[in-house]
Amino acid sequence: MTNLLDQSPNQNELDDLAALCDQIWVIKDGCLLMADSPQTVFNQLDDPAFDKPAAWKMAKKLELKLDGCYPVNARELKEAAENAN
Amino acid sequence: MQIKIKSLHYKYSETNFSLDIPDLTLSPGLICLVGQNGSGKSTLLKLLADLLPAGDAIKADGQALSEYLASGRLSKIAYAFQDPNDQLFNSSVEKELAWSMKQAKLPEDEITRRTEAALKEFGLAEFRDLNPYDLSSSGKKLLTIASALVLDPEVCLLDEPLMSLDYPGRCLVTRLLEKRLAQGKTVIMITHDMDWLSENCQEVYAMSQGQLVYHGPVHQLFSDQELLDRLGLLPAKTWQLSQLLGLKPEVLSLK
Ligand SMILES: Nc1ncnc2c1ncn2[C@@H]1O[C@H](COP(=O)(O)OP(=O)(O)OP(=O)(O)O)[C@@H](O)[C@H]1O
Ligand SMILES: [Mg+2]
């Protein structure tokens, strides 16, 4: 599944996207900024026009990483927490 | 300004839905209203805006709401519709902003000053001559909110102000509401967004089938699974993730 992200939808939708999509396309002002996995998009996209999934924010706060990146969904966050213990 | 509700009963003639609120006092601050579709949130807000008749059941500073507003106090309470298409009707963004202030009989130079400030603040300046119907969905939503806030009301009634807004729009509205709250004003808003609620609101009212079934702290609502089920609500994402990780107390805000 691929989803078009044209300026962030609300938090719930973002978390659903991060859990369900294979690819996310990010469009801003008519330009395709990124077309990549949720992991790459949310870890690399640094633009104040876009929010991050709650799982990503929580992971950042708790300093939990998976393969050097912050997890972007609940499943990855849980895995990172288990690895840390 | 204090709003009191006593024995409020309202029934639409065309449907069986009825709203009943026995007793409620609303004091300054942020009041959030949640509940399933059709639970009566918009109906309550319209009653508080005097868009539906409440008789003597709603009082503002001790006076029946409609009398209070009729006596030169039209700008004390402002309302923004859930669906912008129900609200916007002027031929340009600029005229739309000025309209409510004209009804409230504000001086012409003050109307011009506030219109210019709102166009800038809400990022609508480049669209000033555009028909509101040609704005994007977030532009329309921002215009409905701007048209209410330009009145600088004591009480601002916002029906799902975050709906259809992108992230910068949500941040903007959040910032503007915080500013009003810091001035001691009242904001009564409806939302389905538990994440926003969790980040920004301390106290919440929940409606079900035309009745207020909960009033209290957000964390208490999120802790009560039976109530959440009854209301058809899920707690905020941060709360759900806290539970998944076994964090206690659960995280309400990542601000
Ligand atoms: N003008 C009307 N005439 C008759 N019935 C109405 C009218 N407006 C709303 N209703 C009915 O009243 C009930 C409550 O509607 P209301 O719009 O207050 O719900 P709500 O909680 O705001 O829902 P939502 O979350 O979908 O916006 C619904 O069953 C609706 O069909
Ligand atoms: Mg509604």
Side-chain angles (χ1 to χ4, degrees), chain B residues 52-86:
Chain B
L52 294 172
D56 272 352
I58 302 181
K59 293 210 161 123
D61 287 345
Q63 201 177 356
L65 181 63
S66 48
E67 284 168 29
Y68 178 89
L69 293 172
S71 52
R73 299 195 186 93
L74 216 51
S75 65
K76 292 273 184 181
I77 298 182
Y79 172 79
F81 278 77
Q82 176 172 348
D83 180 352
N85 296 326
D86 290 340

Short mmCIF file of all heavy atoms in Angstrom, two decimals, chain B residues 52-86:
data_model
loop_
_atom_site.label_atom_id
_atom_site.label_comp_id
_atom_site.label_asym_id
_atom_site.label_seq_id
_atom_site.Cartn_x
_atom_site.Cartn_y
_atom_site.Cartn_z
N LEU B 52 -30.02 27.82 18.44
CA LEU B 52 -31.24 27.05 18.71
C LEU B 52 -31.81 27.62 20.00
O LEU B 52 -31.05 28.04 20.88
CB LEU B 52 -30.92 25.55 18.90
CG LEU B 52 -30.39 24.79 17.68
CD1 LEU B 52 -29.94 23.39 18.08
CD2 LEU B 52 -31.45 24.72 16.58
N PRO B 53 -33.15 27.66 20.12
CA PRO B 53 -33.74 28.33 21.28
C PRO B 53 -33.63 27.50 22.57
O PRO B 53 -33.95 26.31 22.58
CB PRO B 53 -35.21 28.48 20.88
CG PRO B 53 -35.45 27.40 19.88
CD PRO B 53 -34.16 27.13 19.18
N ALA B 54 -33.13 28.14 23.63
CA ALA B 54 -32.98 27.44 24.91
C ALA B 54 -33.88 28.04 25.99
O ALA B 54 -33.87 27.58 27.13
CB ALA B 54 -31.53 27.50 25.35
N GLY B 55 -34.66 29.07 25.63
CA GLY B 55 -35.51 29.72 26.62
C GLY B 55 -34.68 30.27 27.76
O GLY B 55 -33.66 30.92 27.53
N ASP B 56 -35.12 29.98 28.99
CA ASP B 56 -34.41 30.48 30.18
C ASP B 56 -33.37 29.49 30.69
O ASP B 56 -32.73 29.74 31.71
CB ASP B 56 -35.42 30.72 31.31
CG ASP B 56 -35.99 32.13 31.22
OD1 ASP B 56 -35.47 32.90 30.39
OD2 ASP B 56 -36.94 32.42 31.97
N ALA B 57 -33.22 28.38 29.98
CA ALA B 57 -32.38 27.30 30.52
C ALA B 57 -30.89 27.61 30.48
O ALA B 57 -30.10 27.02 31.20
CB ALA B 57 -32.67 26.00 29.77
N ILE B 58 -30.49 28.55 29.59
CA ILE B 58 -29.07 28.95 29.56
C ILE B 58 -28.98 30.41 29.97
O ILE B 58 -29.63 31.28 29.38
CB ILE B 58 -28.46 28.75 28.16
CG1 ILE B 58 -28.59 27.29 27.72
CG2 ILE B 58 -26.99 29.16 28.17
CD1 ILE B 58 -27.99 26.99 26.35
N LYS B 59 -28.15 30.67 30.97
CA LYS B 59 -27.99 32.05 31.44
C LYS B 59 -26.54 32.48 31.32
O LYS B 59 -25.62 31.71 31.61
CB LYS B 59 -28.46 32.17 32.88
CG LYS B 59 -29.95 31.95 33.01
CD LYS B 59 -30.52 32.74 34.18
CE LYS B 59 -32.01 32.89 34.02
NZ LYS B 59 -32.78 32.38 35.13
N ALA B 60 -26.35 33.72 30.86
CA ALA B 60 -25.02 34.31 30.78
C ALA B 60 -24.99 35.44 31.79
O ALA B 60 -25.82 36.35 31.71
CB ALA B 60 -24.76 34.84 29.38
N ASP B 61 -24.08 35.36 32.73
CA ASP B 61 -24.01 36.33 33.84
C ASP B 61 -25.40 36.59 34.43
O ASP B 61 -25.79 37.75 34.67
CB ASP B 61 -23.36 37.65 33.37
CG ASP B 61 -21.86 37.49 33.17
OD1 ASP B 61 -21.29 36.48 33.66
OD2 ASP B 61 -21.24 38.35 32.53
N GLY B 62 -26.15 35.54 34.61
CA GLY B 62 -27.44 35.63 35.29
C GLY B 62 -28.62 36.02 34.42
O GLY B 62 -29.76 36.04 34.88
N GLN B 63 -28.37 36.34 33.15
CA GLN B 63 -29.44 36.80 32.27
C GLN B 63 -29.69 35.72 31.19
O GLN B 63 -28.73 35.08 30.73
CB GLN B 63 -28.98 38.09 31.58
CG GLN B 63 -30.09 38.94 31.05
CD GLN B 63 -29.53 40.24 30.45
OE1 GLN B 63 -28.34 40.51 30.50
NE2 GLN B 63 -30.41 41.03 29.88
N ALA B 64 -30.95 35.55 30.79
CA ALA B 64 -31.25 34.58 29.74
C ALA B 64 -30.37 34.86 28.52
O ALA B 64 -30.22 36.02 28.12
CB ALA B 64 -32.72 34.64 29.35
N LEU B 65 -29.79 33.82 27.95
CA LEU B 65 -28.77 33.98 26.90
C LEU B 65 -29.21 34.90 25.76
O LEU B 65 -28.47 35.81 25.35
CB LEU B 65 -28.37 32.60 26.35
CG LEU B 65 -27.31 32.58 25.28
CD1 LEU B 65 -25.98 33.12 25.81
CD2 LEU B 65 -27.11 31.16 24.75
N SER B 66 -30.42 34.69 25.22
CA SER B 66 -30.84 35.49 24.06
C SER B 66 -31.00 36.96 24.43
O SER B 66 -30.64 37.85 23.65
CB SER B 66 -32.12 34.93 23.45
OG SER B 66 -33.07 34.71 24.45
N GLU B 67 -31.49 37.23 25.62
CA GLU B 67 -31.62 38.64 26.08
C GLU B 67 -30.23 39.25 26.26
O GLU B 67 -29.97 40.39 25.89
CB GLU B 67 -32.34 38.71 27.43
CG GLU B 67 -33.83 38.50 27.35
CD GLU B 67 -34.41 38.30 28.74
OE1 GLU B 67 -33.86 38.83 29.72
OE2 GLU B 67 -35.43 37.58 28.84
N TYR B 68 -29.34 38.47 26.86
CA TYR B 68 -27.97 38.93 27.12
C TYR B 68 -27.31 39.37 25.82
O TYR B 68 -26.72 40.45 25.73
CB TYR B 68 -27.18 37.80 27.77
CG TYR B 68 -25.74 38.11 28.05
CD1 TYR B 68 -25.34 38.70 29.25
CD2 TYR B 68 -24.75 37.81 27.12
CE1 TYR B 68 -24.01 38.99 29.51
CE2 TYR B 68 -23.42 38.09 27.36
CZ TYR B 68 -23.05 38.68 28.56
OH TYR B 68 -21.74 38.96 28.80
N LEU B 69 -27.43 38.51 24.77
CA LEU B 69 -26.78 38.82 23.49
C LEU B 69 -27.47 39.96 22.77
O LEU B 69 -26.82 40.79 22.13
CB LEU B 69 -26.76 37.57 22.61
CG LEU B 69 -25.88 36.42 23.11
CD1 LEU B 69 -26.08 35.18 22.27
CD2 LEU B 69 -24.40 36.82 23.11
N ALA B 70 -28.81 40.02 22.88
CA ALA B 70 -29.57 41.05 22.18
C ALA B 70 -29.26 42.45 22.70
O ALA B 70 -29.34 43.43 21.96
CB ALA B 70 -31.06 40.75 22.29
N SER B 71 -28.86 42.53 23.96
CA SER B 71 -28.64 43.87 24.52
C SER B 71 -27.21 44.35 24.23
O SER B 71 -26.44 44.63 25.15
CB SER B 71 -28.92 43.84 26.03
OG SER B 71 -28.20 42.81 26.63
N GLY B 72 -26.87 44.42 22.94
CA GLY B 72 -25.60 45.00 22.51
C GLY B 72 -24.38 44.17 22.85
O GLY B 72 -23.26 44.68 22.90
N ARG B 73 -24.57 42.89 23.09
CA ARG B 73 -23.42 42.07 23.47
C ARG B 73 -23.16 40.94 22.47
O ARG B 73 -22.65 39.89 22.83
CB ARG B 73 -23.66 41.45 24.86
CG ARG B 73 -23.84 42.46 25.97
CD ARG B 73 -23.70 41.73 27.30
NE ARG B 73 -23.99 42.57 28.44
CZ ARG B 73 -25.18 42.64 29.00
NH1 ARG B 73 -26.19 41.94 28.51
NH2 ARG B 73 -25.38 43.40 30.06
N LEU B 74 -23.50 41.22 21.21
CA LEU B 74 -23.40 40.18 20.19
C LEU B 74 -21.99 39.60 20.07
O LEU B 74 -21.81 38.43 19.75
CB LEU B 74 -23.84 40.77 18.84
CG LEU B 74 -24.59 39.86 17.90
CD1 LEU B 74 -25.77 39.19 18.59
CD2 LEU B 74 -25.07 40.65 16.69
N SER B 75 -21.00 40.44 20.36
CA SER B 75 -19.62 39.97 20.17
C SER B 75 -19.07 39.21 21.38
O SER B 75 -17.93 38.78 21.37
CB SER B 75 -18.71 41.17 19.86
OG SER B 75 -18.66 42.01 20.97
N LYS B 76 -19.90 39.04 22.42
CA LYS B 76 -19.39 38.36 23.62
C LYS B 76 -19.23 36.86 23.40
O LYS B 76 -18.43 36.21 24.05
CB LYS B 76 -20.35 38.59 24.80
CG LYS B 76 -20.39 40.02 25.28
CD LYS B 76 -19.31 40.24 26.30
CE LYS B 76 -19.42 41.66 26.85
NZ LYS B 76 -18.38 41.95 27.82
N ILE B 77 -20.10 36.30 22.54
CA ILE B 77 -20.03 34.87 22.26
C ILE B 77 -19.90 34.68 20.75
O ILE B 77 -20.69 35.24 19.99
CB ILE B 77 -21.30 34.13 22.76
CG1 ILE B 77 -21.41 34.27 24.28
CG2 ILE B 77 -21.26 32.66 22.37
CD1 ILE B 77 -22.59 33.55 24.90
N ALA B 78 -18.89 33.92 20.33
CA ALA B 78 -18.73 33.66 18.89
C ALA B 78 -18.72 32.17 18.63
O ALA B 78 -18.29 31.39 19.49
CB ALA B 78 -17.43 34.29 18.39
N TYR B 79 -19.18 31.82 17.45
CA TYR B 79 -19.37 30.41 17.13
C TYR B 79 -18.80 30.09 15.75
O TYR B 79 -19.01 30.86 14.81
CB TYR B 79 -20.87 30.11 17.17
CG TYR B 79 -21.29 28.76 16.69
CD1 TYR B 79 -21.16 27.64 17.51
CD2 TYR B 79 -21.84 28.58 15.42
CE1 TYR B 79 -21.56 26.39 17.07
CE2 TYR B 79 -22.25 27.33 14.98
CZ TYR B 79 -22.10 26.24 15.82
OH TYR B 79 -22.49 25.00 15.38
N ALA B 80 -18.08 29.00 15.64
CA ALA B 80 -17.61 28.54 14.33
C ALA B 80 -18.20 27.17 14.03
O ALA B 80 -18.06 26.24 14.83
CB ALA B 80 -16.08 28.47 14.30
N PHE B 81 -18.87 27.06 12.89
CA PHE B 81 -19.58 25.84 12.51
C PHE B 81 -18.64 24.66 12.26
O PHE B 81 -17.48 24.84 11.88
CB PHE B 81 -20.38 26.07 11.22
CG PHE B 81 -21.70 26.75 11.42
CD1 PHE B 81 -21.75 28.12 11.64
CD2 PHE B 81 -22.88 26.05 11.38
CE1 PHE B 81 -22.97 28.77 11.81
CE2 PHE B 81 -24.10 26.67 11.54
CZ PHE B 81 -24.15 28.04 11.77
N GLN B 82 -19.18 23.47 12.45
CA GLN B 82 -18.45 22.24 12.14
C GLN B 82 -18.15 22.18 10.64
O GLN B 82 -17.03 21.92 10.23
CB GLN B 82 -19.31 21.04 12.55
CG GLN B 82 -18.71 19.68 12.21
CD GLN B 82 -19.53 18.54 12.82
OE1 GLN B 82 -20.39 18.76 13.66
NE2 GLN B 82 -19.26 17.33 12.41
N ASP B 83 -19.17 22.46 9.84
CA ASP B 83 -19.01 22.41 8.39
C ASP B 83 -18.91 23.84 7.86
O ASP B 83 -19.89 24.58 7.91
CB ASP B 83 -20.23 21.69 7.78
CG ASP B 83 -20.13 21.59 6.26
OD1 ASP B 83 -19.19 22.19 5.69
OD2 ASP B 83 -20.98 20.91 5.67
N PRO B 84 -17.74 24.24 7.36
CA PRO B 84 -17.58 25.62 6.87
C PRO B 84 -18.65 26.02 5.86
O PRO B 84 -19.03 27.18 5.78
CB PRO B 84 -16.19 25.61 6.22
CG PRO B 84 -15.46 24.50 6.87
CD PRO B 84 -16.50 23.45 7.21
N ASN B 85 -19.14 25.04 5.08
CA ASN B 85 -20.16 25.37 4.07
C ASN B 85 -21.46 25.86 4.70
O ASN B 85 -22.27 26.49 4.04
CB ASN B 85 -20.44 24.16 3.18
CG ASN B 85 -19.21 23.78 2.38
OD1 ASN B 85 -18.44 24.65 2.00
ND2 ASN B 85 -19.01 22.50 2.19
N ASP B 86 -21.68 25.54 5.97
CA ASP B 86 -22.86 26.06 6.68
C ASP B 86 -22.67 27.51 7.11
O ASP B 86 -23.63 28.18 7.48
CB ASP B 86 -23.14 25.22 7.94
CG ASP B 86 -23.65 23.83 7.60
OD1 ASP B 86 -24.13 23.64 6.47
OD2 ASP B 86 -23.56 22.95 8.47
#
